[in-house]
Amino acid sequence: MKLLALDTSSEGCSAALFVDGDVIEKFEIAPRGHTRLLMPMVRELLAEQGLRPNDLDALAFACGPGSFTGVRIATGVIQGLAWGLSLPVVPVSSLEAVAFGAIEAMQVSEGGGIAVAFDARMSELYWGCFRNRSGLPELQGEERVCPPSNVVLEADITRWDGAGRGWAFRADMPEEVSSKINSVDETLIPRASWVARLAAVKFDNGLAVPAEQAQPVYIRDEVAWKKLPGRS
């Protein structure tokens, strides 16, 4: 199976190829460089593997939540490729992708919990709780956006670990949440390589959709903009 995955849902910009179980990735921290970097990454990946776009079997992308602009960029590129190549698309939650990365990076034990937090701005977090099921993240409850003071651990799990840059606001979280967290890795952000590996499993489970159903997931219904001091 040959699958191309993209992620621009955070300050990271990445593209990855899943080729018969192997994953090759291009990744760069570029908060304002997604549009400039993404398609060259795709072209380089395909060229290095001796592949053409028509050789692909499916596409995948981190559908959010995350940066509104970033999520829209990946969505637009994926939809354009999907329509042009007549390929199915596998949307993957950005929170789920980080939970998957945390399982490996933090050596989360079988059945252990991963609480993923992203900074959603406006004094809120994107929040998702997952359980390690045979190396894959299983969502507990629902993904949500809320103030740090309102986060909850969605399952009765003995050992929890935290992942994502939203954990910078740990001091504002309820004591019953913070006290149950064994360790935290604030450096983990979504990566296309994680999206690709999750998407390959989802594709095998029949979770691919046509291009028109490959939609961004914002969680927050309204995008509010707050004027910063000194900005016009």
Side-chain angles (χ1 to χ4, degrees):
M1 179 189 182
K2 299 175 180 63
L3 178 147
L4 171 69
L6 308 179
D7 171 64
T8 55
S9 63
S10 72
E11 59 267 47
C13 179
S14 56
L17 274 175
F18 179 97
V19 181
D20 300 329
D22 294 325
V23 178
I24 309 95
E25 181 187 54
K26 301 285 185 183
F27 176 86
E28 187 171 331
I29 298 293
R32 297 175 183 83
H34 298 130
T35 303
R36 172 176 54 86
L37 293 170
L38 193 59
M39 285 310 298
M41 285 180 171
V42 170
R43 287 192 289 268
E44 288 172 17
L45 279 171
L46 291 171
E48 288 172 5
Q49 299 304 307
L51 297 174
R52 299 170 301 169
N54 288 332
D55 294 324
L56 296 170
D57 300 303
L59 304 169
F61 74 116
C63 61
S67 158
F68 290 97
T69 300
V71 170
R72 287 196 296 270
I73 289 170
T75 302
V77 171
I78 280 291
Q79 285 184 333
L81 290 171
W83 271 312
L85 299 170
S86 299
L87 289 176
V89 179
V90 183
V92 175
S93 158
S94 305
L95 292 165
E96 183 184 8
V98 168
F100 179 74
I103 288 173
E104 293 188 345
M106 304 179 72
Q107 299 182 335
V108 177
S109 59
E110 174 68 21
I114 311 98
V116 183
F118 297 164
D119 183 358
R121 309 301 181 189
M122 295 181 281
S123 301
E124 291 186 317
L125 298 177
Y126 295 121
W127 179 259
C129 295
F130 300 84
R131 185 191 299 266
N132 178 9
R133 292 285 193 192
S134 302
L136 296 173
E138 179 184 73
L139 180 63
Q140 309 293 298
E142 295 182 349
E143 296 182 350
R144 59 190 299 205
V145 61
C146 63
S149 58
N150 288 355
V151 300
V152 295
L153 298 175
E154 298 281 2
D156 184 15
I157 294 174
T158 302
R159 180 186 172 101
W160 285 91
D161 292 290
R165 296 201 166 166
W167 279 98
F169 301 96
R170 183 174 183 173
D172 300 322
M173 297 179 185
E175 173 64 21
E176 59 266 29
V177 171
S178 183
S179 63
K180 292 180 180 178
I181 301 299
N182 175 66
S183 63
V184 170
D185 190 337
E186 295 179 17
T187 69
L188 296 178
I189 62 174
R191 297 186 67 122
S193 56
W194 299 337
V195 173
R197 291 169 63 188
L198 283 170
V201 175
K202 292 176 183 289
F203 182 85
D204 288 342
N205 290 333
L207 297 178
V209 299
E212 62 270 18
Q213 293 180 27
Q215 297 295 326
V217 174
Y218 297 125
I219 298 184
R220 180 184 283 140
D221 293 329
E222 273 186 34
V223 181
W225 182 81
K226 290 190 174 181
K227 187 182 293 185
L228 298 176
R231 297 270 182 98
S232 58

